[in-house]
Every structure is written in C-alpha cells, then in structure tokens.
Amino acid sequence: MKIINNINDLDFFVREAAEKYQKTAFIPTMGALHAGHLKLVEEGLRHADKAIVSIFVNPTQFAPHEDFDSYPRTVEEDIQKLEAVGAQALWLPCTEDIYPNGKEVDVRITGVSEPLEGEFRPHFFDGVATVVARLLRKVKPDIAMFGEKDFQQLQVVKKMVIQENIEIEIIGVPIVRDENGLALSSRNAYLNEAEFKTAIQLNIILKEMADGSIDEKGAHEKILEAGFDKIDYCTVRNAKNFKQENPDRVLVAAWIGKTRLIDNMPLSR
Ligand code: AMP
C-alpha cells in the first residue's frame, strides 16, 4: 500500500489511475480504524479497481468543547489493517493540505443537515461538508463510500456533491456491529467495562422501537434505565429528509459519561 504524505504524491497516484482508466473508490475516515471502516474499503474494491483511504481528524467538525484533542490516533495499526484488506493507498493529509488559508468552513448544506445532529452539533455538518468537498476535489475518485452508521451524514454528503457539482457516486454501506449488536465506532474505545455493558443495550432498545414493541417515550425511559446519562434524540424519522412525516427509520444519539454514541436502523414493523 502506498502511503501518501504530500499533495504531489497524491496527484501522481490520481493521474496514474486516470491514465490507466482505473476506477477509484475513496474512503474518507478519521482513523482508529475498525471492521466498519474496513468494510467500506472492501465494498469500495467490489465497485472499483483501486481503494484510496484518507485519515484526517478534521478540526472544523469539532466544537471547542468536543474531543478533537483526545480523539484516538493509531496510524501504525491503521496501516496494517488497511494492508490486510488490500487498499492501494492511504493519504495522510496535514491540516495545511486541507486548510491552506486557515480553518475556514465554506460549504453549507441546508435542510437535511438541520434536525437531529444539526440541532445538537450545530457546527458539525458544515465542517463535514467542507472537508469532504475538499478531499473529493483532491482525490477525484469515481465513487466514495460512507457508512450508514452516520446516516444523516450520508444524506448530507449526497446533497453536498449535487450542490457543489462534484461528479461522483456516493455509496452507503450498512452498519457493521460487534457480536453484541453494538455499532462499531472509534469512540467505543472511550468506554470502560461498565459503560460498555450500558452501550450494548442501545441496539436492543432500538430494535424494540423499530419493531413497534415500544414507542419513543418507552425507549427514552429504557435508555436512561440502561445507564445512559443523557439522550440528545431518540426518534423515528423519514430517512431522506429526517422530518417526522412518513417515518421509516429509528435514529438515536445518547451519552454515557463523556462518550456520545449514535445508532440507527430501518423500521421493521
Ligand atoms: P469516521 O472515521 O468515524 O469519520 O468514519 C469514517 C467512515 O466510516 C464514515 O463514512 C462512517 O460512517 C463509517 N463507519 C464508521 N463506523 C462504521 C460502522 N460501524 N459501520 C459502517 N460504517 C462505519
């Protein structure tokens, strides 16, 4: 696997693939890779000749009080995992590669970005839309893979590429879970043993909501009973616009101590 540390090497990789008419799949990540990220690479390679992954902990999507500094950084292990699944390249941009004029945010997506995550992390999607647009313009891939784990983000990115006129296909990949059903997340590394036991209840409660055994109020009660400290939202919404009309997906964000977990699934009733 080629490790790309500067824009010249990236340009070379991109040009070489284009000259050979090779289709490229791009997988943007913030690192601390787990089987969910690796699934994105594998799916990318099913659709394309080459997979290029980026690891960049994007400062503009973190609010000052959030976990930018403590976000896990495990590049050596990440490289080994990516080699094992056959990624062709890993790009490790530095902040100046992405933000040469300082950490400005210049892509804003309305509508789909506003409820749920948009309400509780108002800075978040502008930062995501800006960084993904910049990464895509540099890597120029044919397709890019995004996880349904961040379901609202996937819809925001789909809207962003249309708005920004970036020619690309955005492909969503189903959530990868551990044997308990817990959605894999780099932030699960923050959980201690007791918190982990609480965390694995979330998926069970979500399933009950999805099959109609409990309503939103019941789910809220169960999540708090399970040991979560705070619920940002736990609700059934439309999976395209996140409005309450025509609901078909359960989405949740809840806190255990300082760790914020998100999860979602389609209705099964
Ligand atoms: P992150 O490194 O958290 O920014 O995630 C990078 C990409 O991996 C995003 O498209 C996420 O939605 C995706 N991803 C993270 N966790 C999972 C998971 N458990 N299953 C599927 N995709 C995931």
Side-chain angles (χ1 to χ4, degrees):
M1 182 175 69
K2 193 159 176 40
I3 313 271
I4 298 172
N5 281 304
N6 62 67
I7 297 291
N8 282 345
D9 288 355
L10 177 68
D11 288 344
F12 185 82
F13 178 87
V14 171
R15 227 174 314 130
E16 191 182 49
E19 278 164 11
K20 291 182 182 163
Y21 299 102
Q22 286 170 327
K23 189 170 173 180
T24 53
F26 178 46
I27 299 97
T29 82
M30 299 205 300
L33 301 183
H34 50 63
H37 297 111
L38 302 179
K39 181 76 183 164
L40 265 54
V41 177
E42 287 164 354
E43 283 298 306
L45 285 171
R46 285 199 327 115
H47 289 83
D49 304 302
K50 284 185 166 177
I52 172 164
V53 179
S54 65
I55 295 180
F56 180 63
V57 185
N58 173 37
T60 65
Q61 71 191 65
F62 290 81
H65 61 275
E66 291 184 341
D67 58 342
F68 176 77
D69 289 332
S70 59
Y71 197 84
R73 288 160 170 90
T74 59
V75 170
E76 294 308 317
E77 289 96 319
D78 292 349
I79 289 171
Q80 287 178 10
K81 290 175 185 172
L82 291 173
E83 278 180 338
V85 292
Q88 279 70 23
L90 169 63
W91 177 31
L92 298 167
C94 64
T95 308
E96 291 70 34
D97 290 336
I98 306 298
Y99 297 110
N101 306 316
K103 292 175 203 155
E104 80 249 295
V105 163
D106 53 10
V107 183
R108 290 189 174 77
I109 306 300
T110 55
V112 74
S113 67
E114 289 169 33
L116 306 182
E117 289 297 299
E119 205 174 302
F120 289 91
R121 302 182 74 194
H123 56 283
F124 176 66
F125 283 130
D126 291 346
V128 168
T130 297
V131 76
V132 174
R134 290 178 180 211
L135 292 167
L136 293 179
R137 288 202 166 102
K138 290 235 171 348
V139 176
K140 305 182 190 75
D142 299 279
I143 61 175
M145 319 301 292
F146 286 83
E148 290 186 352
K149 162 87 189 335
D150 302 276
F151 198 84
Q152 196 177 357
Q153 168 175 286
L154 170 63
Q155 305 295 16
V156 169
V157 169
K158 282 184 176 169
K159 185 167 179 190
M160 182 278 288
V161 297
I162 294 168
Q163 177 179 307
E164 294 296 304
N165 208 9
I166 300 175
E167 261 182 57
I168 186 168
E169 185 186 358
I170 301 297
I171 299 179
V173 177
I175 301 178
V176 177
R177 300 178 181 279
D178 75 2
E179 63 278 10
N180 304 296
L182 177 65
L184 297 184
S185 163
S186 306
R187 289 190 169 99
N188 293 351
Y190 298 150
L191 300 171
N192 64 31
E193 211 175 308
E195 291 173 332
F196 185 80
K197 284 197 177 131
T198 294
I200 61 179
Q201 300 302 312
L202 191 61
N203 170 255
I204 297 165
I205 299 166
L206 224 58
K207 269 196 208 145
E208 290 175 337
M209 228 178 134
D211 71 17
S213 342
I214 55 171
D215 61 9
E216 283 187 17
K217 187 164 169 286
H220 272 75
E221 281 164 15
K222 279 200 158 187
I223 290 169
L224 295 174
E225 263 167 38
F228 281 83
D229 296 293
K230 189 158 69 92
I231 301 167
D232 282 353
Y233 57 83
C234 177
T235 183
V236 189
R237 296 290 174 99
N238 181 270
K240 290 218 159 58
N241 56 28
F242 304 102
K243 292 186 177 159
Q244 283 169 339
E245 293 77 37
N246 305 316
D248 57 3
R249 201 159 188 107
V250 186
L251 301 115
V252 63
W255 292 83
I256 310 177
K258 289 193 176 119
T259 307
R260 186 174 189 268
L261 300 184
I262 59 170
D263 200 348
N264 68 88
M265 66 180 61
L267 290 191
S268 56
R269 37 180 102 140

